[in-house]
Amino acid sequence: MKVISWNLLRLTGAAVEDVATLIDSQKPDILLMQEATRHIEALPGLVGGHFYRLSWLGRIHGLAVWSPTHFPRPVALSLPASRLPGRLPRRRAQIIQMGDITFANVHLSHGQLLNRRQLARVAAALQGKPSAIIGDYNAVGPIFLPGFTDVGPREPTHLSGNVMPVRLDRCLAHGLVCRASAALDFGPSDHRPIRLELHLEGPHAELAPSPARKDRLRRFYR
């Protein structure tokens, strides 16, 4: 399954026509988007397919997913938030079921402890299913999440302050094989799209974790 993830950079980055061009050139099975505004809702009118957007309270942007094939309406998962005043918005993940694979579309917080806690919440919600957590992690340095492997491209995907290149756009996978990954060229956004070829690793029964392992995931960074 070909997966592309792209942080569109709200109103000043990629427009719906840019997203349509990416779909036409790459032909993904599923496209995950972060910082997607309501203008991106016009995407099916340009390329067909099926689209859902998850807005964030108090923000003009949110998460979105597109696929040429029908899939169930995604589920919103609330993530841990900072207790400091003004640390908004409360972030949510978009949980998407595509056949036997569950995708979590994420745009995590900038706090390096907080975004690890948010990842642990997503991993616990996936309950050991063949899955991938993909999107803008806002994470610096390595990430260790029990049962998951970092399979995303290793090159930088974002220019911080248009000066320092960093790898913010990532993919952690469980029960999946990544046959290829790459960061595509910069477009109108300050993030590069990432492309992954993900496939099931084996029978579902072999992928289900024990109850003790599930419990460890729930406690991790709680």
Side-chain angles (χ1 to χ4, degrees):
M1 181 176 292
K2 180 186 286 189
V3 184
I4 291 180
S5 174
W6 195 12
N7 184 323
L8 305 180
L9 188 59
R10 302 187 295 277
L11 293 174
T12 59
V16 65
E17 292 83 5
D18 300 308
V19 179
T21 298
L22 179 68
I23 290 172
D24 288 339
S25 64
Q26 294 293 324
K27 296 178 172 50
D29 297 302
I30 180 172
L31 171 65
L32 307 175
M33 292 160 274
Q34 303 86 44
E35 296 197 21
T37 66
R38 61 180 179 82
H39 299 89
I40 305 300
E41 294 175 0
L43 186 61
L46 298 177
V47 294
H50 304 268
F51 175 92
Y52 293 99
R53 190 173 79 92
L54 175 66
S55 61
W56 281 354
L57 183 65
R59 290 293 186 270
I60 63 171
H61 60 84
L63 303 170
V65 55
W66 174 90
S67 175
T69 59
H70 181 266
F71 58 97
R73 177 178 291 274
V75 175
L77 175 68
S78 295
L79 302 180
S82 172
R83 297 181 180 179
L84 295 176
R87 293 290 184 175
L88 297 174
R90 285 193 64 94
R91 298 184 183 239
R92 298 190 289 175
Q94 196 177 34
I95 309 299
I96 305 134
Q97 191 67 43
M98 293 287 293
D100 294 325
I101 302 177
T102 307
F103 294 96
N105 183 15
V106 299
H107 186 186
L108 305 179
S109 296
H110 290 84
Q112 297 305 295
L113 291 178
L114 180 56
N115 58 33
R116 268 66 171 183
R117 289 176 54 212
Q118 292 169 343
L119 279 171
R121 173 71 61 83
V122 175
L126 295 173
Q127 299 180 340
K129 300 174 183 177
S131 53
I133 307 171
I134 308 176
D136 182 353
Y137 279 36
N138 277 317
V140 178
I143 296 173
F144 303 101
L145 193 62
F148 285 79
T149 303
D150 187 344
V151 299
R154 291 301 191 268
E155 60 261 48
T157 63
H158 173 68
L159 283 177
S160 181
N162 291 320
V163 176
M164 185 176 69
V166 288
R167 184 171 76 102
L168 297 186
D169 303 271
R170 306 194 188 189
C171 173
L172 288 175
H174 171 77
L176 301 175
V177 174
C178 183
R179 296 181 180 170
S181 66
L184 305 178
D185 293 338
F186 275 105
S189 173
D190 60 351
H191 285 254
R192 298 168 69 183
I194 63 171
R195 182 185 63 209
L196 306 116
E197 293 277 356
L198 298 174
H199 302 271
L200 288 171
E201 185 177 71
H204 292 184
E206 296 179 5
L207 300 171
S210 67
R213 183 172 177 183
K214 286 185 182 180
D215 186 60
R216 287 198 301 272
L217 281 174
R218 292 191 184 99
R219 295 199 309 267
F220 189 67
Y221 281 128
R222 185 170 57 189

